[in-house]
């Protein structure tokens, strides 16, 4: 395993991108066209991504050649497990409620069933919103961690500074000494 800051930052970014892609596959809250099977498939795919997080932690924790930044990378991957688990739990709730809606479809015209079905629909939509939010949290935290482990290249920072839509650079500008703090015995001469 290559445990350089650049390789670890790449692994963090790749995993973050996989969670972004997973979030983009989820049905939008309020989208009633997706079925129980589609959401269940999302749980299975999310399970594979959670396994990836565990594998990333295991490989680094078990490595004999730990780099100084390894603890930070391990922590970042491990911390992403909690919101990923929240997303999986929320999707499980959404599947459960959609299954209830499928089972009670024939009762939709009965007043009591209609109220229960409307409540289940609202809760399922809330669960999907929670899954979207949790997956965004995973991706955002992993992207931020990658920038901490290996800051973006000077080329990328220059491109960001020219862009009107890009996020600000993540690195602080170098500290400067104010003119009043210059040593008193130093004379500044102009030409």
């Amino acid at each position: 395993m290559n445990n350089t800051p650049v390789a670890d930052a790449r692994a963090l970014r790749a995993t973050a991108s996989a969670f972004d892609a997973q979030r983009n596959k989820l049905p939008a809250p309020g989208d009633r066209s997706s079925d129980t099977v589609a959401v269940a498939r999302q749980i299975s795919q999310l399970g594979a991504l959670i396994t990836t997080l565990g594998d990333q932690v295991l490989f680094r924790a078990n490595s004999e050649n730990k780099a100084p930044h390894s603890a930070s990378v391990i922590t970042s991957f491990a911390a992403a497990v909690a919101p990923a688990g929240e997303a999986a739990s929320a999707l499980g709730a959404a599947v459960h409620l959609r299954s209830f809606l499928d089972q009670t479809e024939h009762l939709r015209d009965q007043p009591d069933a209609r109220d229960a079905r409307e409540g289940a629909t609202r809760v399922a939509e809330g669960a999907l919103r929670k899954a979207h939010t949790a997956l965004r949290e995973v991706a955002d935290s992993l992207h931020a961690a990658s920038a901490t482990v290996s800051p973006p290249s000077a080329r990328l920072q220059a491109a960001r500074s020219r862009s009107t839509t890009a996020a600000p650079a993540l690195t602080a500008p170098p500290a400067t000494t104010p003119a009043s703090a210059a040593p008193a015995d130093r004379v500044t001469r102009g030409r």
Side-chain angles (χ1 to χ4, degrees):
M1 177 175 76
N2 186 353
N3 62 352
T4 65
V6 172
D8 284 338
R10 250 189 245 125
L12 287 160
R13 280 192 303 273
T15 307
S17 294
F19 275 95
D20 276 331
Q22 186 66 38
R23 187 182 78 244
N24 291 334
K25 291 179 192 176
L26 291 178
D31 178 10
R32 298 185 187 195
S33 65
S34 64
D35 61 2
T36 305
V37 173
V39 179
R41 188 173 291 120
Q42 299 301 317
I43 294 171
S44 179
Q45 292 170 354
L46 183 53
L49 287 175
I50 292 171
T51 298
T52 298
L53 290 173
D55 288 347
Q56 293 288 354
V57 171
L58 178 62
F59 294 146
R60 284 167 180 78
N62 203 25
S63 174
E64 293 178 14
N65 301 327
K66 289 188 180 130
H69 68 278
S70 293
S72 172
V73 175
I74 290 169
T75 300
S76 299
F77 279 121
V81 172
E86 289 174 17
S89 178
L91 290 177
V95 167
H96 175 81
L97 292 164
R98 285 178 180 230
S99 180
F100 166 77
L101 292 170
D102 291 345
Q103 291 172 0
T104 59
E105 178 65 28
H106 67 285
L107 302 173
R108 70 179 179 275
D109 294 328
Q110 295 180 6
D112 290 342
R114 189 175 346 158
D115 291 344
R117 288 174 53 77
E118 287 173 4
T121 299
R122 282 192 304 275
V123 174
E125 289 174 2
L128 284 174
R129 278 192 293 280
K130 184 176 180 180
H132 276 270
T133 301
L135 291 177
R136 180 182 311 268
E137 182 182 335
V138 172
D140 289 351
S141 71
L142 293 174
H143 279 301
S146 76
T148 301
V149 170
S150 179
S153 67
R155 208 169 138 187
L156 178 60
Q157 288 179 4
R160 279 189 180 149
S161 70
R162 289 188 304 268
S163 173
T164 59
T165 60
L170 298 174
T171 57
T176 57
T177 307
S180 61
D185 60 31
R186 198 166 118 195
V187 178
T188 306
R189 297 180 190 196
R191 288 192 178 203

